[in-house]
Amino acid sequence: MSRPKVVVAGLGDSGLLTAIHLSRHAYVVGISAKPALVSGQELGMRLARPEEWSRDYFIGFHRYRGLDRVRTVHGSIEGVDLTARTVSVRRADGTTVEEAYDVLVISTGVRNGFWRQPGLQSNDEVTADLRHAHDRLATACSIAVIGGGAAAVSAAANLALAWPEKQVALHYPGERPLPQHHHRVWTQVEERLTARGVVLHPGHRAVVPDGFDCDEITDVPVEWSTGQPPTAADAVVWAIGRVRPNTGWVPTELLDEAGFVRAEPDLRVPGQHRVFTIGDVAATDPLRSTARNRADRLLARNIRAELAGRPLRAYRPPRRRWGSVLGFQPDGLEVFTPTGRAFRFPAWSIRTVLQPGIVRWGIYRGVRRS
Ligand SMILES: Cc1cc2nc3c(=O)[nH]c(=O)nc-3n(C[C@H](O)[C@H](O)[C@H](O)COP(=O)(O)OP(=O)(O)OC[C@H]3O[C@@H](n4cnc5c(N)ncnc54)[C@H](O)[C@@H]3O)c2cc1C
């Protein structure tokens, strides 16, 4: 019997790993609007040190050994026919192709701010975007970061580290940022921000101008719905967590009210035959946490079980966010557990153990040098 064909729609953090796990067991086709992994992780590092960020988070698909058996298609998925079991893909040259599947994985992620957009892009266009954001911030004397999640905190901390002479301020609506993390996480991160001179502004909820999608760095004064006078800065980074799912191509019967893909605990899409979902687009739990909790292994196992007629297993999400908040720092990488405890990989271990051994071999099963 010929091998089943799995189409992975969206080769970001979760889709890429799912494709790697399945590549020895099925004929896998990965479809992506980018010709590389352009990770959604570590905004602060990406803005402040784009070359360093690119080394670990912007990696051409041809460099992943685990993708050698996977056919990658550079294109934007525009629709799916659930009866005929095909997705239609617009490629970079403007032509459209139909890709048939036995199993479909929906992993097209979310859009969020200027740094995470789903448009069809070449490597040069991704590189130009990275450089443009960095250069824009480099020329600013004052930077206001708006938002209270990990992206905003990480942006403020890393920009203040890169440019100690600039005024960097963080404005957030609550009493403290990182409300979805354990409270101990903020206590530890706050020390770092204040040591770097980041000015903290709790209780500031920004008014988002009409028609503005928070998808660019602005320089007009920010107004506050919480009553404070407007704030002016040379560069305003909007990281207010206004995520929107990349599901314009998915039929509405597969989506919840907010447009995310409905999911059973075993990552199947309810009522669909052999359609699965994972990552930030998948409405698995309130934090939509399958990407950071590495449910890619479970998904690959469940797809194999489904094809073999075996029982599937359930995804069990933790209740709090966890992981790295600031990314690599001069003294190493701090990772917070769901209970707010930190463990740190020392700086010397990042390039000698963590990246080459744990990440590139352990997680990605081999990444070739660029
Ligand atoms: C190993 C690992 C470690 C992590 N560590 C942390 C951590 O420490 N802290 C933390 O907070 N989070 C962490 N995360 C999670 C991370 O922050 C995000 O949750 C993750 O980037 C989301 O992945 P995704 O695959 O859902 O989306 P994305 O990575 O955004 O991938 C979606 C892809 O689909 C493409 N796409 C969109 N629409 C289309 C279309 N129509 N056609 C074709 N392609 C399309 C997009 O361009 C993109 O390439 C981690 C994730 C992983 C895998």
Side-chain angles (χ1 to χ4, degrees):
M1 200 182 87
S2 66
R3 297 202 303 167
K5 180 174 171 188
V6 180
V7 166
V8 179
L11 278 184
D13 280 323
S14 290
L16 175 81
L17 285 164
T18 306
I20 289 175
H21 300 315
L22 287 170
S23 63
R24 288 182 183 277
H25 309 282
Y27 171 46
V28 182
V29 177
I31 304 169
S32 175
K34 321 288 178 197
L37 172 71
V38 187
S39 172
Q41 297 181 53
E42 310 295 8
L43 174 64
M45 191 175 154
R46 171 178 175 152
L47 294 176
R49 291 168 277 145
E51 278 86 19
E52 195 185 335
W53 180 88
S54 297
R55 192 161 50 180
D56 299 318
Y57 296 105
F58 174 27
I59 298 180
F61 294 136
H62 62 284
R63 292 179 52 203
Y64 291 92
R65 293 183 193 281
L67 289 184
D68 287 352
R69 296 162 184 250
V70 172
R71 178 160 67 85
T72 57
V73 178
H74 182 201
S76 192
I77 304 168
E78 300 199 313
V80 54
D81 184 331
L82 296 166
T83 311
R85 293 173 166 240
T86 55
V87 290
S88 57
V89 185
R90 184 171 49 83
R91 294 195 299 200
D93 63 7
T95 57
T96 300
V97 287
E98 300 290 318
E99 203 66 61
Y101 62 83
D102 298 307
V103 177
L104 175 65
V105 175
I106 302 177
S107 53
T108 37
V110 297
R111 66 190 74 193
N112 185 11
F114 58 86
W115 63 93
R116 232 173 136 192
Q117 292 290 326
L120 194 55
Q121 281 188 309
S122 66
N123 277 323
D124 287 348
E125 286 167 327
V126 175
T127 306
D129 273 3
L130 293 171
R131 178 75 9 229
H132 174 73
H134 177 81
D135 291 350
R136 171 76 180 79
L137 293 164
T139 57
C141 294
S142 57
I143 300 173
V145 180
I146 318 284
V153 170
S154 139
N158 282 286
L159 293 171
L161 174 71
W163 291 300
E165 70 287 2
K166 295 186 196 298
Q167 294 168 35
V168 179
L170 176 65
H171 303 259
Y172 45 93
E175 275 176 36
R176 67 166 176 96
L178 306 178
Q180 291 165 339
H181 289 73
H182 194 283
H183 64 86
R184 270 196 286 261
V185 177
W186 172 240
T187 314
Q188 296 165 76
V189 171
E190 182 180 16
E191 268 176 38
R192 299 241 177 189
L193 266 72
T194 45
R196 291 176 191 178
V198 175
V199 182
L200 303 177
H201 294 283
H204 281 62
R205 185 175 289 281
V207 176
V208 181
D210 277 347
F212 175 55
D213 214 8
C214 300
D215 53 358
E216 58 185 292
I217 297 172
T218 56
D219 59 4
V220 273
V222 181
E223 312 229 350
W224 308 103
S225 64
T226 31
Q228 297 87 352
T231 298
D234 299 329
V236 179
V237 176
W238 295 80
I240 60 172
R242 189 176 266 201
V243 296
R244 282 189 292 129
N246 295 322
T247 48
W249 61 279
V250 181
T252 48
E253 70 259 30
L254 274 59
L255 307 178
D256 69 9
E257 320 72 55
F260 292 88
V261 181
R262 293 181 199 279
E264 305 275 11
D266 57 20
L267 307 181
R268 275 187 297 198
V269 178
Q272 300 302 319
H273 186 59
R274 295 187 174 167
V275 181
F276 293 77
T277 186
I278 190 169
D280 290 1
V281 78
T284 44
D285 59 292
L287 297 178
R288 294 188 289 272
S289 64
T290 50
R292 76 182 52 85
N293 292 310
R294 298 290 322 279
D296 42 272
R297 290 168 295 207
L298 172 80
L299 174 57
R301 200 184 298 128
N302 277 354
I303 289 173
R304 292 175 61 199
E306 166 88 10
L307 290 167
R310 295 195 308 265
L312 277 60
R313 294 190 198 163
Y315 169 65
R316 293 187 212 293
R319 282 187 299 119
R320 291 188 192 276
R321 279 196 200 281
W322 67 279
S324 140
V325 174
L326 302 184
F328 305 144
Q329 300 295 292
D331 61 353
L333 174 73
E334 215 161 30
V335 179
F336 295 96
T337 66
T339 58
R341 308 267 173 218
F343 61 92
R344 197 163 57 82
F345 293 91
W348 64 263
S349 69
I350 304 292
R351 294 277 153 228
T352 52
V353 180
L354 180 70
Q355 277 300 335
I358 299 178
V359 176
R360 294 192 172 194
W361 273 110
I363 297 180
Y364 291 101
R365 299 192 187 166
V367 180
R368 298 183 181 90
R369 288 176 192 277
S370 61

